[in-house]
Amino acid sequence: MTDTKCILSLRIARALLNRGCQLIDVDTSSKRAGNIVFIFKRDEQFDRKLAELSSKGR
Protein backbone atom coordinates (compact mmCIF):
# COMPACT_ATOMS: atom_id res chain seq x y z
CA MET A 1 0.00 0.00 0.00
CA THR A 2 1.29 3.46 -0.85
CA ASP A 3 1.47 5.88 2.01
CA THR A 4 -0.11 8.83 0.15
CA LYS A 5 -3.27 9.32 -1.88
CA CYS A 6 -4.09 12.17 -4.27
CA ILE A 7 -7.61 13.62 -4.27
CA LEU A 8 -8.77 15.93 -7.06
CA SER A 9 -12.12 16.93 -5.58
CA LEU A 10 -12.19 19.90 -3.21
CA ARG A 11 -15.48 18.63 -1.76
CA ILE A 12 -14.01 15.21 -0.95
CA ALA A 13 -10.79 16.75 0.38
CA ARG A 14 -12.75 19.00 2.75
CA ALA A 15 -14.88 16.08 3.92
CA LEU A 16 -11.76 14.00 4.62
CA LEU A 17 -10.21 16.89 6.56
CA ASN A 18 -13.39 17.27 8.61
CA ARG A 19 -13.18 13.56 9.44
CA GLY A 20 -9.65 13.87 10.78
CA CYS A 21 -7.58 12.69 7.81
CA GLN A 22 -4.13 14.21 7.50
CA LEU A 23 -3.40 16.50 4.55
CA ILE A 24 0.27 16.36 3.62
CA ASP A 25 0.49 18.79 0.71
CA VAL A 26 -1.38 20.63 -2.04
CA ASP A 27 0.13 20.61 -5.52
CA THR A 28 -0.77 21.12 -9.17
CA SER A 29 -1.89 18.06 -11.11
CA SER A 30 0.62 16.60 -13.53
CA LYS A 31 -2.13 14.72 -15.39
CA ARG A 32 -4.83 17.41 -15.52
CA ALA A 33 -3.41 20.83 -16.33
CA GLY A 34 -4.86 23.62 -14.22
CA ASN A 35 -6.20 21.34 -11.46
CA ILE A 36 -5.10 21.17 -7.85
CA VAL A 37 -4.31 17.88 -6.13
CA PHE A 38 -4.76 17.35 -2.39
CA ILE A 39 -2.24 14.83 -1.08
CA PHE A 40 -3.31 12.88 2.01
CA LYS A 41 -1.51 10.46 4.27
CA ARG A 42 -2.98 7.06 3.45
CA ASP A 43 -3.62 4.74 6.35
CA GLU A 44 -6.47 2.55 7.59
CA GLN A 45 -8.44 5.56 8.87
CA PHE A 46 -8.11 7.33 5.52
CA ASP A 47 -9.24 4.24 3.57
CA ARG A 48 -12.23 3.78 5.89
CA LYS A 49 -13.30 7.43 5.68
CA LEU A 50 -12.93 7.53 1.89
CA ALA A 51 -15.00 4.35 1.59
CA GLU A 52 -17.71 5.93 3.78
CA LEU A 53 -17.80 8.99 1.55
CA SER A 54 -17.91 6.84 -1.59
CA SER A 55 -20.84 4.79 -0.28
CA LYS A 56 -22.79 7.95 0.59
CA GLY A 57 -22.49 9.13 -3.01
CA ARG A 58 -24.23 6.05 -4.43
Side-chain angles (χ1 to χ4, degrees):
M1 176 189 309
T2 61
D3 53 9
T4 61
K5 177 74 174 175
C6 295
I7 301 292
L8 290 171
S9 168
L10 175 60
R11 182 182 63 80
I12 297 295
R14 282 184 174 161
L16 290 167
L17 284 170
N18 287 335
R19 287 167 174 76
C21 295
Q22 183 180 354
L23 181 68
I24 296 174
D25 198 4
V26 178
D27 202 353
T28 55
S29 174
S30 59
K31 293 183 180 179
R32 293 185 178 180
N35 284 356
I36 295 174
V37 176
F38 303 91
I39 305 168
F40 284 86
K41 177 182 176 184
R42 186 173 179 200
D43 53 18
E44 288 181 26
Q45 175 188 339
F46 175 87
D47 289 340
R48 191 170 46 253
K49 299 299 180 184
L50 185 58
E52 289 173 8
L53 289 170
S54 296
S55 67
K56 285 183 180 181
R58 291 182 185 169

